[in-house]
Amino acid sequence: MTGFARIDDCVLHYTFREGRGPAVVFLNSLGTDLRIWDGVVDALPTDLCLLRMDKRGHGLSETAPGDMARFAADAAGLMDRFGLSRALICGVSIGGMIAQELALSRPDLVGGLLLSNTAAKIGDAAGWQDRLFRIETDGLPAMADGVLDRWFPRAFKDGHPDMVAGYRTMLSRTDAEGYSNACRALAGADLRDRVGTIACPTVVIGGSEDGSTPPDVVRGLADAIPGADYIEIGGAGHLPCIQTPGDVAAPLMDLHRRIS
Ligand SMILES: O=C(O)CCC(=O)CC(=O)O
């Protein structure tokens, strides 16, 4: 079922499938929408309960300002709407930060975490300021090639030109204000002092060719969360959910079995 739900000040777009629990909840990266999980969902058993959502300012969700806590409250509000608890939260990049924030603020909702290509702090203030300036002066379409170079390794781009063109379109059509709001949320978010208290089973995935969250940064997150496992996907860029969805679906199902 595809639908829309008002969570406080913002109408959010989601897809929900009832099924076997624990539910799996997917949280997207910057400049993408819930379709980045299509390949992962196709590789999962068809009887699982699944919730995907477009965070505010992305996909078909409304645009409204909000920090990392607000993004997590949106996910929590949607999960509450569907009566989900102890779910397996799978987030990539900023989606992985939202997942960490959710585990810290609403541990009742989170049974396990699959954190893909993310960290407890992503980038630095100067880098985000520069990006905000470029969005305003050049616009997202003009920035797309640079972003895609961080998302996908050269060999993947050469081998899949149509797919890469499609994701360039997804990025370029993202609402500039929504994208900028998410950049501000990233600039202001630092979970490094708090992730050591995450207590649920956690798997962290990195990509050896990730140009946005390099593998040493992602491994640092796994080191900071008690008991977390780290998996590095050789040859993967920033978005293995698109590039090699089976490499995300397999640890997701292992974790699902562990928490079931
Ligand atoms: O992808 C994200 O959610 C944030 C990390 C980032 O900066 C991605 C990019 O390189 O554009």
Side-chain angles (χ1 to χ4, degrees):
M1 159 176 70
T2 291
F4 297 89
R6 171 169 293 283
I7 304 295
D8 300 325
D9 62 335
C10 196
V11 173
L12 300 175
H13 174 235
Y14 65 83
T15 65
F16 179 65
R17 183 176 83 193
E18 284 193 46
R20 177 164 62 89
V24 184
V25 178
F26 294 95
L27 301 170
N28 308 329
S29 59
L30 184 62
T32 66
D33 66 40
L34 53 74
R35 288 171 290 190
I36 61 169
W37 301 106
D38 285 351
V40 176
V41 167
D42 285 349
L44 296 177
T46 55
D47 63 344
L48 288 190
C49 178
L50 303 180
L51 174 64
R52 295 195 254 176
M53 61 180 285
D54 288 334
K55 65 183 164 297
R56 52 179 62 209
H58 287 68
L60 296 182
S61 290
E62 282 185 339
T63 294
D67 59 9
M68 205 58 73
R70 180 64 259 178
F71 282 120
D74 287 347
L78 213 44
M79 291 179 70
D80 285 338
R81 195 68 64 94
F82 287 108
L84 306 180
S85 62
R86 294 194 40 74
L88 173 44
I89 314 293
C90 176
V92 59
S93 204
I94 186 175
M97 285 196 84
I98 299 167
Q100 294 164 55
E101 180 64 51
L102 189 63
L104 292 163
S105 57
R106 287 289 307 272
D108 57 308
L109 295 181
V110 183
L113 286 172
L114 189 92
L115 303 175
S116 171
N117 303 71
T118 187
K121 177 170 172 53
I122 298 178
D124 57 29
W128 291 117
Q129 275 312 319
D130 180 55
R131 198 174 313 195
L132 285 163
F133 178 74
R134 284 173 40 232
I135 297 162
E136 204 163 317
T137 51
D138 304 340
L140 269 178
M143 295 164 56
D145 281 338
V147 174
L148 286 157
D149 284 344
R150 298 192 292 272
W151 284 3
F152 302 120
R154 162 67 48 204
F156 182 79
K157 288 173 73 177
D158 289 347
H160 302 82
D162 297 347
M163 194 190 282
V164 171
Y167 286 106
R168 178 187 287 105
T169 302
M170 178 184 281
L171 171 67
S172 300
R173 288 183 182 166
T174 302
D175 179 56
E177 190 188 338
Y179 187 97
S180 296
N181 287 341
C183 290
R184 285 187 201 96
L186 280 160
D190 186 350
L191 306 177
R192 287 176 295 183
D193 286 348
R194 298 167 62 210
V195 290
T197 63
I198 290 177
C200 63
T202 300
V203 175
V204 180
I205 294 177
S208 67
E209 309 305 318
D210 185 345
S212 300
T213 47
D216 56 321
V217 173
V218 180
R219 179 186 280 278
L221 175 64
D223 291 343
I225 298 176
D229 295 322
Y230 176 70
I231 299 169
E232 191 164 308
I233 307 172
H238 188 53
L239 299 175
C241 52
I242 294 172
Q243 192 186 333
T244 55
D247 288 330
V248 178
L252 189 66
M253 279 317 295
D254 284 345
L255 197 48
H256 195 271
R257 278 186 284 273
R258 267 171 72 190
I259 68 170
S260 292

Short mmCIF file of all heavy atoms in Angstrom, two decimals, residues 29-30 93-94 122 128 131 147 150-151 179 186 212 238, ligand 1:
data_model
loop_
_atom_site.label_atom_id
_atom_site.label_comp_id
_atom_site.label_asym_id
_atom_site.label_seq_id
_atom_site.Cartn_x
_atom_site.Cartn_y
_atom_site.Cartn_z
N SER A 29 18.92 7.94 1.89
CA SER A 29 20.06 8.87 1.93
C SER A 29 19.64 10.25 1.39
O SER A 29 18.50 10.45 0.97
CB SER A 29 21.20 8.30 1.10
OG SER A 29 20.77 8.12 -0.24
N LEU A 30 20.60 11.16 1.38
CA LEU A 30 20.39 12.53 0.91
C LEU A 30 20.15 12.54 -0.61
O LEU A 30 20.91 11.95 -1.37
CB LEU A 30 21.66 13.31 1.25
CG LEU A 30 21.76 14.80 0.99
CD1 LEU A 30 20.73 15.57 1.80
CD2 LEU A 30 23.17 15.28 1.35
N SER A 93 23.36 6.20 4.98
CA SER A 93 23.90 7.55 5.08
C SER A 93 23.09 8.41 6.06
O SER A 93 22.97 8.03 7.21
CB SER A 93 24.03 8.18 3.69
OG SER A 93 25.02 9.18 3.75
N ILE A 94 22.47 9.53 5.61
CA ILE A 94 21.67 10.28 6.59
C ILE A 94 20.56 9.39 7.15
O ILE A 94 20.20 9.50 8.33
CB ILE A 94 21.08 11.59 5.99
CG1 ILE A 94 20.39 12.41 7.09
CG2 ILE A 94 20.14 11.33 4.85
CD1 ILE A 94 19.87 13.77 6.63
N ILE A 122 28.77 12.95 9.98
CA ILE A 122 29.13 12.90 8.55
C ILE A 122 29.58 14.28 8.10
O ILE A 122 28.84 15.26 8.23
CB ILE A 122 27.94 12.42 7.68
CG1 ILE A 122 27.53 10.99 8.06
CG2 ILE A 122 28.29 12.50 6.21
CD1 ILE A 122 26.33 10.44 7.29
N TRP A 128 29.64 21.38 4.65
CA TRP A 128 28.19 21.53 4.47
C TRP A 128 27.85 22.97 4.08
O TRP A 128 26.95 23.20 3.28
CB TRP A 128 27.44 21.10 5.73
CG TRP A 128 27.53 19.61 5.94
CD1 TRP A 128 28.11 18.93 6.97
CD2 TRP A 128 27.03 18.59 5.04
NE1 TRP A 128 28.01 17.59 6.78
CE2 TRP A 128 27.36 17.34 5.61
CE3 TRP A 128 26.36 18.62 3.82
CZ2 TRP A 128 27.03 16.13 4.99
CZ3 TRP A 128 26.04 17.42 3.20
CH2 TRP A 128 26.37 16.19 3.78
N ARG A 131 28.48 23.23 0.47
CA ARG A 131 27.44 22.57 -0.32
C ARG A 131 26.16 23.43 -0.36
O ARG A 131 25.53 23.56 -1.41
CB ARG A 131 27.14 21.18 0.21
CG ARG A 131 26.41 20.40 -0.87
CD ARG A 131 26.15 18.97 -0.61
NE ARG A 131 27.22 18.14 -0.10
CZ ARG A 131 27.15 16.82 -0.12
NH1 ARG A 131 26.11 16.22 -0.67
NH2 ARG A 131 28.11 16.08 0.38
N VAL A 147 28.21 14.47 -7.23
CA VAL A 147 27.58 13.58 -6.24
C VAL A 147 27.60 12.14 -6.74
O VAL A 147 27.94 11.21 -6.00
CB VAL A 147 26.13 14.04 -5.95
CG1 VAL A 147 25.42 13.04 -5.04
CG2 VAL A 147 26.11 15.43 -5.33
N ARG A 150 30.63 10.21 -6.16
CA ARG A 150 30.79 9.68 -4.80
C ARG A 150 29.89 8.47 -4.56
O ARG A 150 30.21 7.59 -3.78
CB ARG A 150 30.50 10.77 -3.77
CG ARG A 150 31.44 11.97 -3.83
CD ARG A 150 31.29 12.88 -2.63
NE ARG A 150 30.03 13.59 -2.56
CZ ARG A 150 29.78 14.77 -3.13
NH1 ARG A 150 30.72 15.36 -3.83
NH2 ARG A 150 28.60 15.36 -2.99
N TRP A 151 28.74 8.46 -5.24
CA TRP A 151 27.78 7.36 -5.04
C TRP A 151 28.23 6.07 -5.71
O TRP A 151 28.04 4.99 -5.16
CB TRP A 151 26.42 7.73 -5.64
CG TRP A 151 25.59 8.70 -4.86
CD1 TRP A 151 25.92 9.35 -3.69
CD2 TRP A 151 24.26 9.14 -5.20
NE1 TRP A 151 24.88 10.16 -3.30
CE2 TRP A 151 23.86 10.05 -4.20
CE3 TRP A 151 23.39 8.85 -6.26
CZ2 TRP A 151 22.60 10.67 -4.22
CZ3 TRP A 151 22.15 9.47 -6.28
CH2 TRP A 151 21.77 10.36 -5.27
N TYR A 179 16.53 19.37 0.18
CA TYR A 179 17.91 18.89 0.20
C TYR A 179 18.74 19.76 1.14
O TYR A 179 19.51 19.26 1.96
CB TYR A 179 18.46 18.92 -1.23
CG TYR A 179 19.83 18.29 -1.41
CD1 TYR A 179 19.97 16.97 -1.87
CD2 TYR A 179 20.99 19.02 -1.17
CE1 TYR A 179 21.22 16.41 -2.07
CE2 TYR A 179 22.25 18.46 -1.36
CZ TYR A 179 22.35 17.16 -1.81
OH TYR A 179 23.61 16.60 -2.00
N LEU A 186 22.43 17.52 8.77
CA LEU A 186 23.70 16.78 8.83
C LEU A 186 24.79 17.63 9.47
O LEU A 186 25.58 17.14 10.28
CB LEU A 186 24.11 16.33 7.43
CG LEU A 186 23.41 15.08 6.91
CD1 LEU A 186 23.49 15.00 5.38
CD2 LEU A 186 24.00 13.83 7.54
N SER A 212 31.61 9.20 -0.21
CA SER A 212 30.88 10.10 0.70
C SER A 212 31.19 9.78 2.16
O SER A 212 31.47 10.67 2.95
CB SER A 212 29.37 9.99 0.47
OG SER A 212 29.03 10.32 -0.83
N HIS A 238 28.79 4.43 -2.38
CA HIS A 238 28.02 4.93 -1.24
C HIS A 238 26.65 4.27 -1.12
O HIS A 238 26.07 4.28 -0.04
CB HIS A 238 27.85 6.45 -1.42
CG HIS A 238 27.24 7.14 -0.25
ND1 HIS A 238 27.74 7.02 1.04
CD2 HIS A 238 26.17 7.99 -0.15
CE1 HIS A 238 27.00 7.76 1.87
NE2 HIS A 238 26.05 8.34 1.17
O1 LIG B 1 24.18 10.50 1.36
C1 LIG B 1 23.91 11.10 2.42
O2 LIG B 1 22.82 10.89 3.01
C2 LIG B 1 24.86 12.10 3.04
C3 LIG B 1 26.28 11.92 2.62
C4 LIG B 1 26.62 12.67 1.39
O3 LIG B 1 27.17 13.74 1.49
C5 LIG B 1 26.23 12.10 0.09
C6 LIG B 1 26.91 12.82 -1.04
O4 LIG B 1 28.10 12.59 -1.23
O5 LIG B 1 26.26 13.63 -1.66
#
